[in-house]
Amino acid sequence: MPQHSHANAPLCPACDGFAKAAIATGTRRPDGTRVTITADCRTCQGTGHLPARSLTAAARA
């Protein structure tokens, strides 16, 4: 299925648009599935794109 693209929003340079990651903790639930946690990119707070405040600050410099 096609994904919507955000042509006007530049990708985050820290995560290259892959802002969330699922990390396995190594433990298993009683049904056998693994316990995972999600981690968000610190630069873009999990959006995958640069925040608007970063864009305006970069434009001033």
Side-chain angles (χ1 to χ4, degrees):
M1 230 166 130
Q3 298 292 321
H4 298 287
S5 64
H6 302 280
N8 296 338
L11 293 177
C12 174
C15 65
D16 289 330
F18 295 96
K20 293 184 183 269
I23 302 167
T25 61
T27 58
R28 291 185 183 261
R29 294 187 180 101
D31 63 355
T33 59
R34 293 196 181 264
V35 177
T36 59
I37 58 171
T38 57
D40 294 337
C41 173
R42 292 181 182 173
T43 305
C44 64
Q45 285 83 35
T47 62
H49 303 284
L50 287 178
R53 63 182 176 272
S54 294
L55 293 174
T56 55
R60 287 186 214 144

